[in-house]
């Protein structure tokens, strides 16, 4: 082996973020903060309070709520066995049974055996990173007895979700959602409309471009099963002209065929029976009332009978919002009604409706349409020279920061030319020049970088001057 090859081998491994995950960096994070701040503000005006949820939950919770046959649960969740808690309990029990000698015997001599024994007793819990948050919100509603609170309970959340999907533009394995849920005793159509109005208000505030709202009703336990059977029967008649995905879905989830984007299937799907013609009386009335309530709020929508959602728990009102600049992953928000989900998780009879916004896509769309704020440079770069000026510079930085200005104070003395170059690179608006002259005379020099003009200001005037400019 020659020397070069040996050196190469010694090179430490360089790590990279796992496929489908990414770092969000400044200045982009400023946009994320603005989006989240706007959500806090807008949702508060609608009377929603923030809930912060665990990142992982028992796998069963998602299996039950989202549905075992869905893509999410069947293949996209990050699931692992978590014996930690029981492991400790087990050791403690062994300690009691065996006395102190037993402790070292168990933990030191044969940790593998211990692990195996715990596994055999199935004292392990399967947990999953959350692929969505509605299940957790319902779990929390039940766990904290929120049905005792004034109804409905209105909650919102934001944070990362995890799905093992094929990464592409607008689709990640760790992505971020901002969502809201209304839980309580009523399924009044005005609730559906107000939740939708809230998302639209939020998007409006952000000046999101090309926003399109589509709505549909997918019926309830009463009328949907009959429709699904009819759909399945019709799909079987045309099975041979469908692609493999749709063929499979005829059995597993015929509604999802309606969602197909395959070009050759479009003409066939257009001829299929439509759920709107098969809603029961209650569902049809509810849907009509939701539309009236949306009109009342001047919320513009388009009806799309093919809009179905990938999660099992939805019923009646479903909606999706798209925005521009996103290519084929253009849905920025999905939502709908899920009466019965709380009950399914062991809670009291409860109605529910909510939505989840894909924050990554929302940000992408804002960036594509130029609505993203440009990176903010520093307000003031302090170019100090000479040991005499150090204390003055530190004091100036403290006062300016207290007044809310963004200040860069170089940690070591720089030559004047280098300082100005740095100030320029950082996009500073002003350079405050503090040399021996300035410190002795008390008249500081403030340079405006845009036009190169300079002026003298006293320490007392500095902040007032900057605020005026
Ligand atoms: P899609 O059809 O795009 O896969 P979905 O129906 O799986 O979306 P929901 O589970 O309803 O989406 O989640 C709501 C929103 O979260 C979506 O409209 C989208 O904006 C966003 N979202 C879902 N999955 C991802 C992902 N893997 N990466 C980024 N955003 C996502
Ligand atoms: Mg999906």
């Amino acid at each position: 082996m020659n020397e070069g090859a040996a050196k190469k081998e010694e090179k430490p491994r360089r790590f990279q973020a796992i496929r489908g995950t990414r770092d969000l960096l400044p200045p982009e994070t400023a946009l994320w903060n603005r989006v989240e701040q706007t959500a806090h503000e807008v949702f508060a005006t609608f009377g929603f309070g923030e809930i912060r949820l665990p990142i992982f939950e028992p796998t069963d919770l998602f299996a039950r709520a989202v549905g075992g046959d869905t893509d999410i649960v069947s293949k996209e969740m990050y699931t692992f066995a978590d014996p930690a808690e029981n492991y400790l309990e087990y050791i403690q029990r062994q300690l009691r049974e065996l006395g102190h000698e037993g402790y070292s015997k168990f933990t030191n001599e044969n940790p593998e055996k211990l692990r195996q024994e715990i596994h055999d007793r199935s004292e392990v819990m399967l947990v999953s990173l959350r692929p969505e948050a509605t299940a957790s919100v319902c779990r929390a509603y039940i766990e904290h007895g929120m049905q005792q609170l004034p109804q409905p309970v209105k909650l919102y959340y934001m944070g990362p979700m995890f799905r093992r999907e094929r990464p592409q533009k607008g689709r990640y394995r760790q992505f971020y959602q901002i969502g809201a849920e209304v839980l309580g005793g009523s399924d009044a159509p005005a609730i559906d409309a107000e939740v939708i109005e809230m998302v639209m208000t939020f998007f409006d505030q952000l000046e999101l471009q090309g926003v399109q709202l589509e709505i549909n009703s997918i019926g309830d336990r009463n009328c949907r099963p009959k429709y699904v059977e009819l759909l399945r029967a019709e799909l079987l008649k045309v099975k041979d002209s469908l692609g493999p995905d749709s063929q499979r879905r005829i059995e597993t989830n015929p509604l999802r065929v309606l969602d197909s984007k395959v070009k050759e299937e479009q003409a066939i799907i257009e001829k299929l029976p439509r759920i709107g013609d098969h809603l029961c009386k209650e569902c049809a009335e509810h849907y009509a009332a939701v539309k009236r309530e949306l009109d009342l709020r001047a919320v513009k929508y388009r009806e799309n009978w093919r809009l179905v959602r990938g999660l099992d728990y939805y019923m009646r009102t479903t909606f999706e919002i798209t925005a521009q600049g996103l290519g084929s992953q253009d849905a920025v928000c999905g939502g709908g009604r899920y009466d019965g989900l709380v009950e399914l998780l062991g809670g009291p009879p409860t109605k529910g409706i909510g939505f989840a916004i894909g924050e990554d896509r929302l940000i992408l769309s804002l960036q594509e349409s130029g609505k993203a704020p440009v990176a903010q440079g520093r307000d003031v770069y302090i170019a100090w020279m000479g040991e005499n000026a150090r204390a003055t510079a530190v004091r100036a930085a403290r006062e300016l920061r207290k007044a809310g200005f963004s200040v860069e104070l170089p940690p070591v003395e720089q030559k004047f030319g280098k300082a100005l170059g740095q100030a320029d690179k950082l996009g500073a608006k002003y350079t405050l020049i503090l040399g021996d002259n300035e410190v002795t005379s008390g008249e500081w020099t403030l340079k405006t970088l845009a036009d190169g003009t300079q002026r003298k200001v006293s320490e007392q005037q500095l902040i007032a001057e900057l605020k005026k400019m």
Side-chain angles (χ1 to χ4, degrees):
M1 210 191 301
N2 66 33
E3 217 174 284
K7 277 229 178 77
K8 220 175 201 166
E9 260 180 20
E10 280 162 30
K11 224 171 140 195
R13 175 179 165 200
R14 281 181 51 177
F15 291 93
Q16 283 186 329
I18 289 174
R19 212 165 99 83
T21 74
R22 60 200 179 127
D23 305 303
L24 304 172
L25 306 171
E28 192 187 301
T29 37
L31 178 57
W32 285 74
N33 281 325
R34 183 168 75 95
V35 162
E36 287 164 18
Q37 191 51 40
T38 306
H40 288 300
E41 285 165 15
V42 171
F43 296 176
T45 65
F46 282 80
F48 282 68
E50 186 186 6
I51 181 168
R52 298 199 183 194
L53 300 155
I55 297 284
F56 55 95
E57 298 262 12
T59 303
D60 285 347
L61 172 67
F62 302 118
R64 176 93 46 108
V66 178
D69 287 342
T70 58
D71 284 354
I72 294 180
V73 170
S74 64
K75 54 181 197 229
E76 294 174 0
M77 285 207 295
Y78 287 92
T79 297
F80 53 99
D82 183 14
E85 214 169 305
N86 299 312
Y87 190 84
L88 271 182
E89 268 173 33
Y90 186 71
I91 288 174
Q92 276 161 1
R93 205 166 46 241
Q94 293 300 333
L95 259 178
R96 258 181 270 122
E97 282 171 20
L98 298 166
H100 275 288
E101 307 82 357
Y103 178 73
S104 54
K105 192 169 134 225
F106 253 87
T107 52
N108 296 337
E109 280 176 15
N110 205 342
E112 256 324 300
K113 179 165 168 265
L114 176 64
R115 245 174 249 132
Q116 190 57 48
E117 218 168 300
I118 291 169
H119 187 81
D120 293 345
R121 288 160 171 246
S122 28
E123 291 190 20
V124 266
M125 181 166 58
L126 280 185
V127 300
S128 297
L129 301 185
R130 60 185 190 189
E132 58 100 59
T134 303
S136 303
V137 174
C138 291
R139 195 257 314 130
Y141 181 87
I142 300 165
E143 186 170 338
H144 303 286
M146 289 192 218
Q147 71 272 18
Q148 312 296 342
L149 301 174
Q151 305 289 303
V153 171
K154 302 195 267 187
L155 298 167
Y156 73 94
Y157 61 84
M158 48 184 79
M161 306 294 158
F162 305 85
R163 297 182 195 175
R164 193 186 282 107
E165 302 195 72
R166 195 169 68 77
Q168 51 195 293
K169 182 185 178 189
R171 195 180 290 290
Y172 309 97
R173 290 180 165 185
Q174 174 173 341
F175 61 102
Y176 296 79
Q177 285 188 337
I178 300 177
E181 318 287 351
V182 181
L183 294 161
S186 167
D187 62 357
I191 297 178
D192 305 43
E194 197 180 74
V195 163
I196 294 173
E197 182 189 10
M198 182 167 88
V199 199
M200 297 301 269
T201 306
F202 173 52
F203 288 165
D204 202 45
Q205 286 272 314
L206 293 172
E207 298 182 55
L208 185 66
Q209 300 295 297
V211 176
Q212 295 252 17
L213 164 68
E214 293 192 341
I215 62 168
N216 191 22
S217 173
I218 54 170
D220 63 6
R221 260 154 295 176
N222 209 345
C223 51
R224 188 169 43 192
K226 278 178 244 160
Y227 169 72
V228 171
E229 275 324 303
L230 175 70
L231 186 62
R232 184 174 277 138
E234 291 301 312
L235 283 169
L236 282 173
K237 290 184 200 161
V238 294
K239 184 170 178 179
D240 293 339
S241 4
L242 297 172
D245 279 341
S246 291
Q247 289 201 2
R248 192 166 32 81
R249 285 183 173 139
I250 296 178
E251 285 316 313
T252 58
N253 195 347
L255 280 178
R256 286 293 276 184
V257 177
L258 303 180
D259 207 23
S260 159
K261 307 278 185 311
V262 179
K263 217 168 140 225
E264 295 72 35
E265 296 177 351
Q266 301 308 308
I268 304 166
I269 293 172
E270 279 305 312
K271 293 198 204 87
L272 292 169
R274 307 186 169 204
I275 179 105
D277 302 326
H278 299 271
L279 294 176
C280 61
K281 188 163 160 283
E282 290 76 17
C283 284
E285 279 173 10
H286 191 271
Y287 186 39
V290 169
K291 288 185 277 184
R292 278 199 306 276
E293 291 286 341
L294 285 172
D295 292 337
L296 202 60
R297 289 165 174 76
V299 173
K300 298 227 164 14
Y301 57 84
R302 203 166 58 196
E303 287 182 77
N304 176 4
W305 72 274
R306 287 175 54 179
L307 178 68
V308 294
R309 315 246 351 109
L311 289 67
D312 272 2
Y313 50 62
Y314 285 115
M315 58 172 285
R316 287 196 174 165
T317 311
T318 52
F319 57 97
E320 194 165 272
I321 303 171
T322 52
Q324 75 181 32
L326 294 172
S328 52
Q329 263 66 55
D330 64 350
V332 281
C333 175
R337 182 162 278 291
Y338 49 83
D339 305 341
L341 177 57
V342 170
E343 249 174 305
L344 188 72
L345 298 174
T350 309
K351 315 280 187 191
I353 181 163
F355 63 79
I357 295 165
E359 193 177 359
D360 308 72
R361 295 184 195 175
L362 174 56
I363 300 271
L364 211 56
S365 178
L366 290 171
Q367 287 169 330
E368 299 271 318
S369 60
K371 288 288 167 195
V374 281
Q376 277 288 316
R378 305 292 188 282
D379 295 317
V380 183
Y381 189 93
I382 302 183
W384 60 277
M385 278 139 286
E387 272 310 303
N388 280 344
R390 182 193 283 275
T392 311
V394 167
R395 191 173 70 237
R398 185 174 60 225
E399 292 304 319
L400 285 167
R401 286 170 177 153
K402 214 161 99 186
F405 293 102
S406 159
V407 177
E408 193 64 28
L409 175 67
V412 292
E413 186 180 357
Q414 293 168 325
K415 294 239 160 57
F416 188 58
K418 182 166 181 215
L420 282 187
Q422 281 281 94
D424 198 47
K425 271 191 217 146
L426 291 173
K429 293 199 203 79
Y430 306 101
T431 307
L432 177 63
I433 300 162
L434 297 175
D436 277 340
N437 285 347
E438 279 81 7
V439 174
T440 4
S441 69
E443 289 286 297
W444 297 355
T445 305
L446 190 64
K447 187 182 167 89
T448 307
L449 272 98
D451 57 12
T453 56
Q454 282 188 197
R455 70 172 94 185
K456 294 278 178 194
V457 281
S458 70
E459 180 168 2
Q460 291 76 25
Q461 294 164 345
L462 178 66
I463 285 169
E465 276 294 309
L466 283 171
K467 282 191 172 156
K468 257 196 288 176
M469 297 197 298

